[in-house]
Amino acid sequence: MRDANTQPLDPVTFEVLKNSFITAVDQMSEQMLRTCYSFVIYNRDFSNGLHDADGNSVAQGNQDIAVHVGTLHFTCKDVIRVFGGEMMPGDVYAINDPYAGGTHFSDVRLVRPIFDDDTLVGFSQSNGHWSDLGGSVPGSFDVSARDMFREAVRITPVRLFRQGEFCHDVAGMIAANTRDPASIIGDIHSQASATQVAEREVLRLIGKYGRDAVLQGMEEVQDYVERAVRQRISALPDGTWETVDYIDRDPGQGEGMIPIHIKMTIKGDRILYDFAGSHPTISSIYNSAPGATFSAVVAGMKTFFPDLPLNSGFYRVIDIDAPDNTVVSAEWPVAVTGFLMPFEKIMNAIFEMWSEIMPDRAIACAFNLEYLLAGGTDLRTPEKPMFMFYEWLPGGWGGRNGKDGSDVTTACFGTGLMSQPNEGNERVNPTRTSEFQILRDSAGPGKWRGGCGVQKTSVLLESENAVMSYICDRERAVVWGVEGGLPSMPHGLSIRREGETEAKWLGSVFSDYPVSTGDEFARPTAGGGGFGDPLDRDPARVLEDVIDDYVSIERAARDYGVAIREVDAELCEFEIDADATEAMRAEIRAERVGWARMDPEAVAKLYRDGEIDALDAVRRYAVILDWESGALLPKTTEQFRESYEKRTVVNWT
C-alpha cells in the first residue's frame, strides 16, 4: 500500500507500465510455445500471470484461457504462506493444489519470486496442464473417483529450483508418479524459463523507471480496473437475478440432474453471487473447489466487460456465498478433477443473467467442453512405448441478440485453447482421423441460431493394453436456447469395435474402458443454443444454412417450419416453397406447446419405434431418454422441461 501523500503516476508512464505488464505475460506464453514438451501445452492449455509482492494479480495475458483467470493469485498466495520469509533470488516453486485455490491437479503452476537486489518486488507464475499426473487411469480423469486419492499427485507448495539450482530429487519424485516423466521434466524447465522471461522484463522496467515507479504501477493498475468496474456496476440498476443450470447426473446415484443454483444481486457498486440451493458434492470428479468456482464467476462476468484488463482489481467488487460441501464448494479430499463441468454451468448461468442486464450482448448457452483421453502401449515406437492421447474438440456458442452463434469455436471454458491439429495428434499417438467436419443440424434453432459443432471419428492403431476415458456433460442437461430458442443436441461418444458393423453408444461419462487396435470411436460436439423463436428466422437465412450444409432440409422443416426443395444439390441449388412454409409455420405454432407437454412415456415409445430421433425428443418434446435403450428418464425429463418452459415455451405464449 503506497503512502497517501504519493502522487499518482503521470498518465503516460501509467499507460506504458499497464501495457508492459500485460506484454510481459504474453512474452511468457511465447516462451512456453517454443520450449514446451507436451502436445497439450503446445495447444495453449496454459496461462501465465504477473503478481505484486503480496501475490495479487497485476496482469494476465491476452490469450490466457478463461478457466485459469481468478485462480493464479490464490496459488501465489499459498506459496507465500508456506515459503514467505525464506525466498531467495532464483527460487521457483510448484503447486497444483485445487483446495488451495487451484483448478484441478493437472494444472501445475510454477511460481518465481522476483527480486530487485534484495527486495522482493513481485512474482511471475506459469500454469500448464500436464497430460498425466498419475492416478488410477491414463490422463488422471477417473470419473468414478470419489476422492483425490484416485485422481492424481497433489503438489502442495514445494521448491523446484533453489537459487537457480534445479532440485532433481523433488522434480524426479513428481515425474516418477506420472505416465510420461520425460515430458514432465521438459515442461518444468519450459515453465520455469517462462517465469524468468517476466522477471527479466520487470527488472528492465525497474532499470528504466525506477523500483518505486514500477511498484506504484503494479498497485495503480489494480486500482484502475477496480474503479472502472465499480463505475460500470454503479450505472446499472440494483436488483436480483437468478437461474439454475445442471450437471447431467451423479454416477453413484439414480437418474436426475444435479442443480447449480445462482442468485446474483447488484447493490451499489458491488455484486454478490449466492449459490444457496446448489446440490451437495457428488460421487464423481464433477465437483468444483472454491477457487475454481470463483474463477468461473470471474470468467462469466468478464465476458460482458471485454475491454477491461484483468487483474485483482476486478476481483475486489465480487462477493461469493457458497454453502459448504456443495458441487461448487468441494473441500479436501472430495474429487474435483472434473471441475470444468460445474465451471461451464456457472459461466452459462452468468451469461444468462447478464444477458437480461445487457440485452445488446445477450447470448444463449454454449456447448460443453469435452475431453477424450486414452493411454497404453504404442507399438509404433519402441523407444517411447507409452502413449498419452488427450484431446478436446471445438463446438458451437449460443445464438446472440442479432447474430448467429460462433461456429466451431473452442469452449467458453478456455477460449485461448487451440483446436488440436489432426496431424500432430497422429504423430504422437497411435490414432488416425477418418472424419472431422462441421456437424449438420448440431446448431440450436432460433431466430438467431447457435453456432455449429463438429463430428470427429478416429481409429486406434497399433497399440496394446489401451484404455479410454471420456469426460463430458450435457448428454442430458442438453445445451439450451433462450428467448424462445431451441436446444442443441446431446453430447456423447460411440465406439465400433474392429470387425463389427454396429457402433455402441457409451454416452458422455466413462473411464478405464478397454480399447484395441482397429476400434473406431466417434463423437459429436453440440452446437450452441438458439436465440429467439426459430419460426421468426428469415426463411432466406434458413435457405443459406441448407446451402452451407449447416441445416438439413428435414430439420429446416421440423425446427424452422421452412419448406425447401432441392433443385440441384451438386450445384447447391435449393429454393423455398413460400406457401408450404406459411402453412407449416402456422401448424407448428398451433401445436408446439402441446408437443412440449406431451406424455413423456408416449414420446419415449415414439423414439424406440424409430418415429422420432434424439433431436425431436429434446427440441420438440423436451424429453430426455437413455439414448442407447430409449428408456425414459422421468426425473431428468421433469427438470429439463422446467428449464425448457422457462427459457423457451414462455416466449411462445
Side-chain angles (χ1 to χ4, degrees), residues 333-354:
V334 172
V336 293
T337 296
F339 80 97
L340 64 150
M341 301 309 160
F343 186 100
E344 289 199 351
K345 308 309 183 298
I346 296 169
M347 279 195 75
N348 279 291
I350 289 175
F351 286 173
E352 183 179 24
M353 293 185 289
W354 276 96

Side-chain angles (χ1 to χ4, degrees), residues 595-647:
W595 289 335
R597 296 169 182 171
M598 184 174 170
D599 175 33
E601 286 286 3
V603 175
K605 185 175 186 305
L606 291 174
Y607 179 84
R608 291 192 295 270
D609 291 345
E611 296 184 39
I612 64 171
D613 61 14
L615 294 184
D616 291 320
V618 298
R619 293 178 182 175
R620 178 167 283 192
Y621 301 103
V623 169
I624 304 298
L625 309 171
D626 178 309
W627 304 114
E628 177 74 6
S629 69
L632 176 68
L633 303 176
K635 183 177 179 181
T636 300
T637 294
E638 180 182 355
Q639 293 167 305
F640 185 76
R641 281 191 162 184
E642 183 179 350
S643 166
Y644 189 87
E645 286 275 342
K646 180 186 74 169
R647 293 180 170 117

